[in-house]
Amino acid sequence: MWKKQWTVMTTVMLAAGALAACGSDSDEKKPGATGSGDGAKPNVTVRFHAQNATFDKTMMAPVIAKFEEKNPGVKIDFVGMTEPTSDEVTKKIDLLAASGEPLDVILLADARSYSQRAANGMLEPLDKFIQKEGFKFEDEYKTDTKWNGSYYALPGTFNQWFVIMNKNHLDEAGLKVPTVEWTWDDYLDYAKKLTKGEGASKRYGTYYHSWADYFLLGMWNQPGKNDIVWTDGSLNMDHPGVRKSLEIRQRSEIADKSAIPYADALSQKIAYRPIYFNQSVSMMAIGSWMIGEVGGTDQFPATFKTVFAPMPRNSQSDPAGHAMSSSNYLAIASTSKQKEAAYQFLRFFSTEGLTMMQKYTTSWKKEDTSKLLDAIIGATKTPQNVDKESLLYVLNNTKPVTLPPALPYQAEVYKLYQEEAEKMLLGQQDIAASIAGAKTKLQKLVDSNKK
C-alpha cells in the first residue's frame, strides 16, 4: 500500500511501504537455486525491469533459460526499457510504481538512485533473505550495498574507471602509453599534443561527458574523503580535489582548447561512443563497461586499436593508482507479490547469471576475472583491436576507490554543484565563484534535510 509522497527528479511520486513476507531456508545453498523448502510459490512470474542498453533480450535469453531450468515453476519476464539514459529509465520506473504497475526486480544504475529509493520505502530490505540463506555479504560481493544499516539491493556489474586511448593517435604524436605515475597535468599535456586540425574536422585530444563524474575527476581518485558532501552532512568543498577538478576542465576546454567545449556538448547532445569510434577524440576517462565495446560492436565498429591507461593522480605527491569503482544495483520493489522468487533471481543473476553473459566484469568475488576478460574481448567484432597487455596492467595496478554511502538527496547534491561548475565552463564566473556558489547552495540543501 502506498503511504507517503516523495519528490524524485522533480516529479512527485508515492513511496511503497508494503511489508514483506518471510521465507524459509532453501535446501540448496547455490545462489539462485530454490530447492524444495525455500518457501517460494510455484508457477510464478517475476518481472525484471532494466535499461535495454545495459541488458537486452538477446543477452538475457540464456541467463533466463538457465535460471528457469534451475528453478522449475518460476518464470522471468524481462522488460527491456528503451529510454536513452539511466536517469530517464529511473524516472520511468518511478512513474510505473506510482501508477500501480506490477514491479518485482528493478535495476538501478547508481548509488544515488539506489539510496533515494531505499530511503523512500520503494525497495524491499534483503536482510531476512540473506540471513536465511546464511552467507556473508562481504565474502560474496566487492561492492557494499548497505544503506542505513540494511541491504536493499545486491550489486550487479563492477565498473572501474580508466582511460581509453586511440593507439594510432598516440603513435602519430610520439606518445607512450602512460603508467600509474602520470598526473592530470600529464593528461592535459597529452590532450594538447593529440589535438589536431580546426573547424568541423578538428580532432580533440579528449572529451568529458555531461555526467557529474566529469566535474569531480580530481575528487574521485582519492582514497580518503572523496565526495563533496559527507555522510554526516558536512561539506567537503574545501578539499583541494574540488578545485583541481574544475581546473582540469578549464584548462583543457577553455585555455588549451584540447577538449570539446561544454557548450557544444550540450547543444549538440554529444554521446561519447560515436565521437570515440569515429576518431573525433583521442582519449577519454570512462568505466570498464567499455572493455566489451572497444573491440567493436555492430553499432560501433572498431577500426583502430585501443590501449588503456590508469586514471591520473592529482600531483606527484598523491598516491598513485587509485580509481573510482562502482556498481549498478539489483533490487526488489517493496510492492512485489513475488518477493521469494524475486530474491532467488537476484542471487542467481548477481552471481552466475552475469558471468554467463561474458559482457561485463561483475561484483561477485568468485568470478574468474582472467577467464571472463578473455571471453569479453573475444566476443567483440575485432578482438585484435583491444590491447590486453595495457588493460591487464591497469587492472592489476589500480586500487578501487568507492564513494561513501549516498545521501537520500544525493542527486540534488550533484545537480547543485554541477550548476555552479557549468557557469565557469560557460564563461559566466571563475573557479572561486563556482566553488563559493556551490558551497552556499549545498549548505542550504543540507540544512533543509536536517529539519
Side-chain angles (χ1 to χ4, degrees):
M1 184 171 78
W2 300 103
K3 63 181 182 179
K4 60 181 179 178
Q5 293 186 326
W6 81 91
T7 301
V8 179
M9 308 294 185
T10 72
T11 304
V12 176
M13 297 294 171
L14 296 173
L19 296 175
C22 293
S24 56
D25 290 321
S26 63
D27 291 335
E28 188 177 350
K29 291 301 182 182
K30 282 188 177 181
T34 63
S36 59
D38 66 351
K41 297 177 183 178
N43 302 314
V44 300
T45 297
V46 172
R47 304 188 81 197
F48 175 32
H49 284 74
Q51 187 178 14
N52 203 61
T54 306
F55 304 124
D56 60 33
K57 286 191 175 182
T58 301
M59 296 162 60
M60 288 298 303
V63 176
I64 291 173
K66 186 65 174 177
F67 174 79
E68 292 179 351
E69 176 189 329
K70 291 166 65 76
N71 295 271
V74 182
K75 299 294 182 184
I76 303 300
D77 178 14
F78 174 67
V79 183
M81 305 181 72
T82 58
E83 284 71 17
T85 69
S86 56
D87 281 347
E88 290 179 50
V89 168
T90 305
K91 290 178 184 178
K92 181 64 177 293
I93 288 174
D94 290 334
L95 287 169
L96 293 174
S99 67
E101 180 81 10
L103 295 174
D104 296 309
V105 175
I106 56 177
L107 180 74
L108 298 169
D110 51 46
R112 67 180 190 236
S113 301
Y114 164 60
S115 64
Q116 285 177 322
R117 283 146 194 86
N120 293 333
M122 188 176 178
L123 309 181
E124 181 71 15
L126 304 181
D127 304 73
K128 56 186 172 292
F129 300 112
I130 293 171
Q131 289 166 7
K132 286 180 179 297
E133 189 180 343
F135 73 90
K136 290 185 178 180
F137 193 96
E138 60 272 19
D139 292 341
E140 285 281 298
Y141 297 107
K142 303 169 189 174
T143 301
D144 185 1
T145 65
K146 185 174 284 188
W147 184 86
N148 201 26
S150 292
Y151 297 105
Y152 290 86
L154 300 182
T157 61
F158 184 77
N159 295 312
Q160 179 176 299
W161 280 62
F162 46 47
V163 179
I164 55 174
M165 314 179 84
N166 184 312
K167 181 65 162 55
N168 291 346
H169 294 179
L170 283 182
D171 293 343
E172 178 187 278
L175 298 171
K176 295 181 179 179
V177 180
T179 67
V180 291
E181 301 302 321
W182 78 328
T183 65
W184 275 112
D185 290 336
D186 296 326
Y187 182 98
L188 298 175
D189 287 340
Y190 267 55
K192 192 172 182 179
K193 291 174 181 176
L194 289 166
T195 300
K196 183 179 180 180
E198 296 292 340
S201 61
K202 180 175 181 178
R203 186 186 81 199
Y204 289 91
T206 192
Y207 168 69
Y208 310 105
H209 199 44
S210 57
W211 302 331
D213 311 57
Y214 292 96
F215 290 91
L216 290 161
L217 292 168
M219 279 293 284
W220 288 357
N221 61 357
Q222 299 295 305
K225 210 168 181 179
N226 53 11
D227 211 349
I228 53 178
V229 179
W230 207 238
T231 50
D232 60 0
S234 59
L235 300 194
N236 196 28
M237 289 292 295
D238 291 326
H239 191 293
V242 174
R243 173 172 285 276
K244 185 65 176 180
S245 298
L246 299 183
E247 288 174 347
I248 291 166
R249 301 291 300 269
Q250 183 187 60
R251 177 178 157 187
S252 52
E253 293 181 42
I254 299 172
D256 293 347
K257 302 186 186 306
S258 59
I260 295 175
Y262 186 66
D264 290 354
L266 289 180
S267 63
Q268 298 173 28
K269 297 182 178 179
I270 292 174
Y272 61 89
R273 288 179 178 90
I275 60 170
Y276 181 71
F277 287 105
N278 70 19
Q279 304 191 67
S280 295
V281 296
S282 299
M283 64 176 180
M284 65 176 70
I286 201 72
S288 55
W289 64 85
M290 287 298 289
I291 294 172
E293 299 190 37
V294 294
T297 62
D298 289 334
Q299 187 175 10
F300 298 108
T303 59
F304 57 90
K305 177 172 282 192
T306 290
V307 293
F308 302 82
M311 289 296 288
R313 51 184 172 169
N314 291 350
S315 67
Q316 289 291 344
S317 61
D318 275 2
H322 287 85
M324 177 54 54
S325 65
S326 62
S327 297
N328 50 29
Y329 294 76
L330 294 155
I332 300 173
S334 57
T335 52
S336 171
K337 305 297 185 184
Q338 318 295 347
K339 293 185 179 72
E340 293 282 351
Y343 174 74
Q344 291 159 10
F345 179 68
L346 239 62
R347 277 289 282 151
F348 174 79
F349 188 65
S350 64
T351 55
E352 298 173 54
L354 277 173
T355 57
M356 280 179 61
M357 283 186 176
Q358 300 184 346
K359 176 72 173 176
Y360 305 108
T361 52
T362 78
S363 294
W364 191 31
K365 285 187 174 181
K366 297 175 184 178
E367 73 172 18
D368 186 335
T369 303
S370 178
K371 182 179 178 181
L372 185 57
L373 283 178
D374 285 339
I376 292 171
I377 295 171
T380 63
K381 295 295 181 181
T382 50
Q384 67 273 19
N385 284 328
V386 183
D387 188 77
K388 188 179 177 184
E389 181 181 355
S390 62
L391 173 59
L392 286 173
Y393 172 83
V394 170
L395 297 180
N396 290 333
N397 290 278
T398 299
K399 304 173 188 70
V401 170
T402 57
L403 295 175
L407 297 161
Y409 50 93
Q410 194 74 48
E412 189 68 12
V413 168
Y414 295 144
K415 178 178 178 290
L416 294 177
Y417 167 69
Q418 190 166 336
E419 285 175 354
E420 291 300 312
E422 286 174 347
K423 293 177 184 178
M424 180 271 295
L425 290 178
L426 297 174
Q428 298 170 3
Q429 62 189 23
D430 61 16
I431 290 176
S434 288
I435 293 175
K439 286 172 72 173
T440 299
K441 287 183 175 181
L442 291 173
Q443 190 61 62
K444 288 181 179 178
L445 176 65
V446 170
D447 291 343
S448 70
N449 279 277
K450 285 182 177 178
K451 295 177 181 178

